[in-house]
Amino acid sequence: MPNPKICVSLEETTVNAMVEEAARAVIQGADMVEVRFDRLYLTKPQATVVEDEDGNKTSTTPPVSDWAVSDASELDVEKSISSLKEGISLPVIFAVRSVREGGHFPGTEKQRLDILQNAIDSKVTWVDLELSIKTKERKALVDAAKSANCQIIASQHDVEGTPSAEDIMNLVTSNVSEGDIVKFCSTVNDHQDALQIVEAANNLSDQEDTPPYSLMALGKGGDWGRLHAPVLGQELVYATMRDEFRLSDKGLVNVRDLQDAWRLLEY
């Protein structure tokens, strides 16, 4: 069985920087990239460089929660989507994450759904449609995506914690008709939470007729599902271009490190 596809989630905050980040992801071996369109409304502050008494310099950036957020009307949506489409060579998963699911989009839900519709109209390869979108509006987007031959990530992001393995499995199996891949991401508070992700994926891999899924978590131990994705039946693994110290404490894995781990583990 081939290894899961690797998707690098782009974290830059301007169109040009995101295009450049995608180009680096190509070199690092990514199969696709996730455009987090909501991040284009953020203003990344300058890093602060601190030098200790031995002359060692460290660079720190404030947490994303402290970054300035632009008004939703300040971004030219159609022009930005066009520039991203023209500049990125890999298949794209287009997402506009709402604040309620851990994102940064500053506008109304209608504005957010309109952006998703614009992305579908541009014939993006994939679109991420949260399961929390109201039924009528989500069905309209699903129908539009199918007409445009745009594949769908049916996602849920639990920012408060991690449910049981059984609940995660039920989420996947009960939403088989809602997308081409069911994605679940949560926040882990301890290693027991992290094990729920691994257990759910492992049990799903043993079942017949399970829809393609991608399960992950943020927080310490959240990287386990990514590192062992090939034996957990995962269809898709999200990685990052970030490479800072103790990245695994955030539940994230650098794209190159992920591939090295799979080779080391002989997956």
Side-chain angles (χ1 to χ4, degrees), residues 9-148:
S9 186
L10 304 179
E11 299 187 42
E12 291 292 352
T13 57
T14 69
V15 169
N16 288 341
M18 201 171 273
V19 167
E20 292 174 0
E21 186 181 14
R24 295 195 300 274
V26 173
I27 296 171
Q28 295 294 325
D31 297 298
M32 59 182 72
V33 294
E34 179 190 43
V35 166
R36 280 286 303 276
F37 200 82
D38 55 293
R39 290 186 64 88
L40 296 181
Y41 296 91
L42 296 174
T43 300
K44 187 175 182 179
Q46 290 289 330
T48 301
V49 179
V50 179
E51 185 174 347
D52 63 22
E53 58 185 15
D54 296 322
N56 299 315
K57 295 181 179 180
T58 57
S59 177
T60 60
T61 303
V64 177
S65 58
D66 293 339
W67 295 8
V69 183
S70 303
D71 187 85
S73 62
E74 294 184 24
L75 188 68
D76 187 328
V77 171
E78 291 188 8
K79 182 179 179 181
S80 298
I81 290 175
S82 177
S83 297
L84 288 165
K85 186 175 179 62
E86 181 179 343
I88 298 176
S89 61
L90 287 173
V92 164
I93 297 174
F94 189 94
V96 191
R97 192 72 64 232
S98 64
V99 173
R100 68 175 179 270
E101 295 205 20
H104 312 285
F105 183 67
T108 65
E109 180 70 350
K110 183 181 184 305
Q111 288 173 314
R112 192 178 77 88
L113 300 185
D114 285 345
I115 295 173
L116 288 168
Q117 182 64 60
N118 280 332
I120 292 170
D121 292 342
S122 76
K123 299 189 182 302
V124 69
T125 311
W126 289 82
V127 64
D128 187 313
L129 301 179
E130 296 92 344
L131 293 166
S132 62
I133 298 173
K134 291 183 178 179
T135 302
K136 181 179 178 181
E137 286 81 358
R138 193 175 190 281
K139 183 180 184 304
L141 289 170
V142 167
D143 290 345
K146 289 180 178 178
S147 296

Side-chain angles (χ1 to χ4, degrees), residues 1-7 31-32 93 126 151-153 172 179-184 201 204-205 210-216 225-226 228-238 258 262:
M1 180 179 295
N3 279 343
K5 297 283 188 183
I6 298 175
C7 175
D31 297 298
M32 59 182 72
I93 297 174
W126 289 82
Q151 294 180 279
I152 298 168
I153 302 287
V172 173
D180 298 283
I181 295 178
V182 179
K183 172 192 174 188
F184 175 77
L204 285 168
S205 69
T210 299
Y213 55 87
S214 180
L215 309 181
M216 69 208 77
R226 308 177 201 255
H228 301 290
V231 295
L232 294 175
Q234 303 256 40
E235 182 76 15
L236 180 66
V237 177
Y238 288 75
L258 179 64
W262 287 355

Side-chain angles (χ1 to χ4, degrees), residues 146-214:
K146 289 180 178 178
S147 296
N149 292 320
C150 171
Q151 294 180 279
I152 298 168
I153 302 287
S155 67
Q156 179 171 312
H157 307 82
D158 286 0
V159 298
E160 299 298 330
T162 300
S164 68
E166 182 178 358
D167 286 342
I168 297 170
M169 292 170 62
N170 287 337
L171 170 77
V172 173
T173 56
S174 64
N175 287 290
V176 60
S177 63
E178 299 300 326
D180 298 283
I181 295 178
V182 179
K183 172 192 174 188
F184 175 77
C185 182
S186 67
T187 300
V188 294
N189 298 309
D190 52 41
H191 284 169
Q192 187 60 39
D193 279 351
L195 286 173
Q196 301 308 306
I197 300 291
V198 174
E199 182 180 347
N202 186 55
N203 290 342
L204 285 168
S205 69
D206 291 333
Q207 295 184 6
E208 295 183 1
D209 301 323
T210 299
Y213 55 87
S214 180

